[in-house]
Amino acid sequence: MKRKFGYMATWLPGVPLKMGDIGVIRDNAFTRIAGLEDFNIGFDIREDETPEDLEYSSKGSVSVTTKLSGTITPPGSSLGNLDAGFIVEFSGANSILFKANKTKTNLIKNTIKLGDEVIKLYKEGKWNKKWVVITELVEAETATILISNTENAKIELKANANITLTKLDIADASLDLGYTHYKGLDTKVIAQSGLTPLFKVKGIHTNIFVPPVFKEKGITAFDFVTPATAADEFKDDLFFDYVSSDDWE
């Protein structure tokens, strides 16, 4: 997902995020601990006025069959001939089907000013360098997100409305999709509204040879504090270790 869109994926997908949220990332999950408003840091948002659909599936391991009402039911399917819906099959574990409709990507306008304020707090001992800030956020009108946890996973989705349509969209909430059968799926978000599925964060990067900088952070090798230990706002530490180029992009 990050290679495809350049954004981190929200985990769990239904967790609501907001611009300016402060948190930590551990095991690829963002955990909110505060917001910029808690530090009296204001910011303006540049709103996206050109919504677009986003679609991604794991290459070579996801198959989607669209079943229109009145067509012959595929062998082995629980859908009837008059039913409309989808049959999604995953040949590999940890495979993803992601479809988000009418997404808007909003971002904080001036991250230079924001960075100056964060660095000032860091130098005053009021900011843990392991905290990150959400500076870009993708909002989706509706989205379907399916993730397999085994090989040969499968889900069948049945439309309970608008079944006479000649073209079906797996993320269309108006279809009132529900699953009739599934196996081997870890995550099932089906045509859900109001998701914030993708985001970017920035945070403090330190080096003993140069002043601290505020820049975009990846998630590859971070070992961030948990919410319990992050509660101590004044805790900090020096980092003397090798950081691969994968950690900073």
Side-chain angles (χ1 to χ4, degrees):
M1 292 287 287
K2 192 172 191 296
R3 288 193 299 269
K4 173 70 174 180
F5 299 117
Y7 288 83
M8 298 181 189
T10 304
W11 189 259
L12 296 165
V15 175
L17 299 178
K18 290 176 58 179
M19 201 80 72
D21 277 351
I22 300 169
V24 294
I25 296 176
R26 186 178 181 87
D27 296 331
N28 298 345
F30 176 89
T31 300
R32 185 187 186 278
I33 58 174
L36 289 177
E37 66 275 10
D38 297 312
F39 292 87
N40 297 315
I41 298 177
F43 57 90
D44 295 320
I45 297 175
R46 192 181 78 181
E47 297 187 356
D48 186 359
E49 298 179 355
T50 56
E52 62 178 339
D53 296 344
L54 299 177
E55 187 170 359
Y56 169 82
S57 61
S58 299
K59 186 176 181 180
S61 60
V62 181
S63 170
V64 180
T65 301
T66 302
K67 166 69 174 65
L68 298 178
S69 177
T71 60
I72 298 175
T73 300
S77 171
S78 62
L79 298 175
N81 287 342
L82 295 180
D83 292 333
F86 302 89
I87 303 168
V88 186
E89 298 174 284
F90 302 83
S91 60
N94 303 314
S95 296
I96 298 171
L97 172 68
F98 173 90
K99 177 69 168 30
N101 289 350
K102 295 183 179 179
T103 67
K104 292 185 177 182
T105 304
N106 301 321
L107 52 86
I108 292 178
K109 280 185 177 180
N110 192 340
T111 56
I112 296 175
K113 178 177 178 291
L114 171 61
D116 290 342
E117 296 189 64
V118 168
I119 289 172
K120 181 175 182 291
L121 289 172
Y122 171 73
K123 290 180 177 178
E124 292 173 351
K126 299 177 181 178
W127 186 279
N128 192 314
K129 73 175 183 181
K130 296 177 181 178
W131 295 349
V132 294
V133 181
I134 293 179
T135 55
E136 293 189 35
L137 189 62
V138 176
E139 300 175 355
E141 185 174 289
T142 60
T144 289
I145 304 169
L146 303 172
I147 305 176
S148 67
N149 59 9
T150 64
E151 295 181 354
N152 301 316
K154 180 179 180 180
I155 186 168
E156 297 192 1
L157 303 175
K158 176 183 174 182
N160 295 300
N162 294 335
I163 65 170
T164 59
L165 292 175
T166 57
K167 185 177 181 180
L168 303 181
D169 183 339
I170 200 169
D172 185 353
S174 73
L175 295 177
D176 189 21
L177 292 170
Y179 54 85
T180 61
H181 164 79
Y182 79 90
K183 65 174 183 178
L185 263 72
D186 183 67
T187 299
K188 303 181 296 296
V189 176
I190 303 170
Q192 187 171 324
S193 301
L195 296 181
T196 52
L198 303 170
F199 65 98
K200 286 184 179 180
V201 297
K202 289 191 175 184
I204 293 285
H205 173 55
T206 58
N207 187 299
I208 60 174
F209 302 109
V210 296
V213 295
F214 185 74
K215 62 184 294 184
E216 184 177 336
K217 286 201 172 186
I219 60 175
T220 306
F222 282 91
D223 186 19
F224 283 160
V225 290
T226 63
T229 58
D232 180 3
E233 294 183 357
F234 299 94
K235 181 179 178 180
D236 206 347
D237 60 329
L238 292 175
F239 184 79
F240 296 95
D241 202 348
Y242 171 78
V243 179
S244 75
S245 59
D246 291 337
D247 296 335
W248 298 91
E249 301 178 358

